[in-house]
Amino acid sequence: MTMMGVSGVLSRIQELQGQLGLNPLNPDGTTVAGTVTTTKGTTSSDSSFAAMLADATGGGSSLGAGGVSGDEVVASAKKYLGTPYAFGSTDPDKGLDCSALVQRAYGDLGIQVPRNSWQQAKAGQPVATLADAKPGDILAFDSPVDHVGIYLGNNQMIAAPKPGDHVKIQKVYETPTHIRRVISDVDQVAAQNLAAVRPAALQGSGTLAGVPYGDLFVKAGAKYGVSPKLLAAVAKVESGYNPQAVSKVGARGLMQLMPSTARGLGVNDAFDPEQAIFGGAKLLAHNLREFKSLPLALAAYNAGGGAVKKYGGIPPFAETQAYVPKVQKALASLGG
């Protein structure tokens, strides 16, 4: 056994915090539970992007409550390749630590796993040896557990290794002390059946053929867990896909972001299609997470989240009242 490095020490601190009852908080302020749950039937405040996607498409929770394959977990984790290591962070824009990467990869598919590495080492079902491991399984190291990663197969895993490093693919450098399978064999079979009926754009590999900037909508949707078709529908209503559009009140670009909103989203140039689309996706993801309703999320995009909260629903503004059904109609016309 190698000596515990800096990342091990930091993870050990997390473990002790958990044992003392000082559980870390979700972005919504709730404590992280020590059990594996799915979006289906949950009563907790769910921050997973899969929940947003379900709201955005009017779908149920099948993307996360079953029918998920280990390969999809791997693909979900690979979205974060290159993300800097940041201890304690669950926000990929700021960085991720090892257990946050694991939680995020599963959470994007609607499957919640505990926050800490030592808790993740108890999630799901045990796998006897690395030879029995499958892609998507959680690998945990050391005793007490101070590091986790996601198995890719062929003695490789994806992990956020340590401070100063980043999310990357690496060899399984030592025998894991725990191997856990959160995705059951039943889920794997269901995933094969669902793959044929899932809209391509929701699988992360689809395109919006004939839609201006379709590839950017797909990429932004994959990053933020929002339906690419929803993003395209918003852009169609907002600007008619015109990247140079400017409204009477000063909203700019494809996604019609106000300058102050754009700055808050990290968008330096709202007239740049890529920045605008990624900024709009980030804003919609936030709205969907907060309001858990497509109409309310769209209303917040148009009138602001404060107005939605103030009126307890779609604000009684003529523009907003008309805007929500317009986007829904545009979404339907795109097959969403």
Side-chain angles (χ1 to χ4, degrees):
M1 187 72 67
T2 58
M3 292 184 65
M4 185 181 296
V6 174
S7 62
V9 173
L10 295 175
S11 294
R12 177 59 175 155
I13 292 172
Q14 276 190 307
E15 177 185 3
L16 292 173
Q17 286 176 327
Q19 292 173 344
L20 291 171
L22 302 176
N23 290 324
L25 298 179
N26 283 317
D28 61 359
T30 60
T31 57
V32 178
T35 56
V36 178
T37 58
T38 66
T39 55
K40 184 176 182 179
T42 182
T43 58
S44 64
S45 180
D46 187 354
S47 62
S48 73
F49 284 162
M52 303 178 212
L53 188 145
D55 285 331
T57 58
S61 56
S62 61
L63 291 179
V68 174
S69 70
D71 288 336
E72 286 179 292
V73 175
V74 169
S76 181
K78 284 183 176 179
K79 293 186 301 183
Y80 300 105
L81 284 170
T83 301
Y85 179 99
F87 174 70
S89 173
T90 60
D91 182 353
D93 290 338
K94 298 178 181 178
L96 299 170
D97 59 22
C98 64
S99 54
L101 170 66
V102 172
Q103 185 185 50
R104 191 84 182 188
Y106 278 96
D108 286 356
L109 298 172
I111 300 172
Q112 292 184 324
V113 297
R115 171 65 179 92
N116 291 335
S117 57
W118 65 272
Q119 293 172 318
Q120 292 172 1
K122 300 177 182 179
Q125 300 298 320
V127 176
T129 67
L130 191 62
D132 300 314
K134 295 180 180 180
D137 287 349
I138 297 174
L139 306 184
F141 298 90
D142 299 331
S143 182
V145 173
D146 60 18
H147 186 55
V148 286
I150 294 176
Y151 191 55
L152 305 183
N154 298 320
N155 202 44
Q156 289 188 315
M157 67 179 184
I158 182 170
K162 58 186 178 181
D165 212 330
H166 57 269
V167 176
K168 63 184 181 181
I169 294 173
Q170 57 183 164
K171 290 183 179 180
V172 180
Y173 54 84
E174 64 181 55
T175 302
T177 53
H178 303 76
I179 304 174
R180 308 296 295 191
R181 181 163 300 154
V182 176
I183 304 297
S184 69
D185 292 335
V186 173
D187 290 325
Q188 304 270 7
V189 173
Q192 295 175 8
N193 296 331
L194 281 174
V197 299
R198 251 182 228 169
L202 302 188
Q203 297 181 47
S205 60
T207 60
L208 289 171
V211 175
Y213 309 102
D215 289 346
L216 290 178
F217 291 127
V218 171
K219 290 178 182 178
K223 179 175 181 178
Y224 290 105
V226 179
S227 164
K229 293 179 180 179
L230 174 61
L231 295 176
V234 169
K236 181 179 180 180
V237 173
E238 290 284 358
S239 67
Y241 302 123
N242 177 8
Q244 299 300 316
V246 179
S247 75
K248 294 179 180 179
V249 295
R252 302 174 179 179
L254 274 172
M255 306 302 286
Q256 290 291 276
L257 302 174
M258 294 295 290
S260 59
T261 302
R263 286 193 297 271
L265 294 168
V267 176
N268 297 318
D269 183 3
F271 294 121
D272 177 74
E274 182 171 5
Q275 289 190 49
I277 290 171
F278 274 73
K282 187 175 183 179
L283 179 57
L284 277 168
H286 170 81
N287 291 346
L288 286 162
R289 180 171 65 246
E290 181 172 9
F291 296 107
K292 294 181 171 56
S293 159
L294 176 58
L296 295 184
L298 292 174
Y301 192 97
N302 178 260
V308 174
K309 293 176 183 177
K310 177 180 178 181
Y311 292 100
I314 299 175
F317 309 146
E319 178 185 334
T320 307
Q321 293 279 336
Y323 175 83
V324 172
K326 280 182 182 178
V327 176
Q328 291 178 309
K329 183 177 180 181
L331 177 60
S333 70
L334 291 170

